[in-house]
Amino acid sequence: MLYFNAVATHLSIREAARRLNVASSAVTRQVAQLEDALGITLFLRDKRRMRLSPAGEILFRHSRRLTAPMEAAVSEIELLRGVRAGVVRIGTVESVGLSFLPRLITEFGKRYPRLTIDLSIVSSSEVVERLVEERVDIGFGFIAKPPRQVDIAFRRDVHIGAVMVPDHPLASAQNLTMDQCLDHALAVARPEISIREVIEPFLRRSGSMLPPMVEVNSIRMLVELALGGHYLSIMTPIGAQNEIADGRLIFKPLSDSGLPTNRFGILVRAGTSLHLAPAIFFDHAKGYFEELQLPGAI
């Protein structure tokens, strides 16, 4: 079943064999024996690719849950013996993935060189989805009300504000509001990024139609647009803290009444315990974020 799961995951005999550290012929033989035992085809094959048959889809859906505990147990035992590395599967939003995580992971890798990081940069909603589906062990994202299957194991609340160059006309504003920002060239996140839902009512206060602005689906692009000097970007400081720290950008929190803070969190599946490798990474990440100085943090 472990061989079947590997092939079903990668849809490649060769890649499954590489991941399992066995010969491709051994993988082919095990899958063939499983198909013979069940009396049904599990994979549909052609010259260019392979895919799961309807029966294979059903088996894969159930077998992942059956084999996951055994895979985790074997991995932890071998990790303790030093035979091979453990794996930590992480899902993160872009702003964290491009700002904090490189340094965090570098420090972690130096301390635990035998642990492997599998990192995916996705939206906050997909971070949650992957946690619920057990496709990642730990998530980093912005989330106010997690579903019951997800816990915010560690959180930091940060102000929403405007990021701009130090000589921007609004850089000296004492109590910056969204209305003031709307009088200038503005860059905001598109709806698929979680902060847009929070700021949308405040963007529309000036009327039924939004003024011309740049809408992007990348936090990094918001930072780059702010660095250009013409635009100010509505965001949290997370994702721009390196540029803020070296003085190239400044962060001004918005003082609009009723504007909520944005909650950044380390997310895990509810009601389950982390396996050894993810637990080690979680403790490292929690300590890192507890000590981290964030502009705009509460």
Side-chain angles (χ1 to χ4, degrees), residues 16 48 71 81 175 182 213 251 272 294:
R48 292 190 174 184
E71 289 176 330
R81 292 174 55 214
N175 294 293
L182 290 171
M213 61 181 65
F251 173 78
T272 60
L294 276 176

Side-chain angles (χ1 to χ4, degrees), residues 184-203:
H184 296 266
L186 197 64
V188 298
R190 290 179 59 184
E192 54 262 41
I193 298 181
S194 59
I195 192 174
R196 180 59 180 266
E197 182 180 353
V198 177
I199 66 173
E200 184 71 14
F202 299 87
L203 286 174

Side-chain angles (χ1 to χ4, degrees), residues 9 64 74 89 108 112 124 127 168 239 269 295:
T9 298
R64 280 182 296 181
V74 172
R89 300 170 302 166
F108 181 79
Y112 301 101
S124 280
V127 170
H168 190 278
R269 286 188 299 276

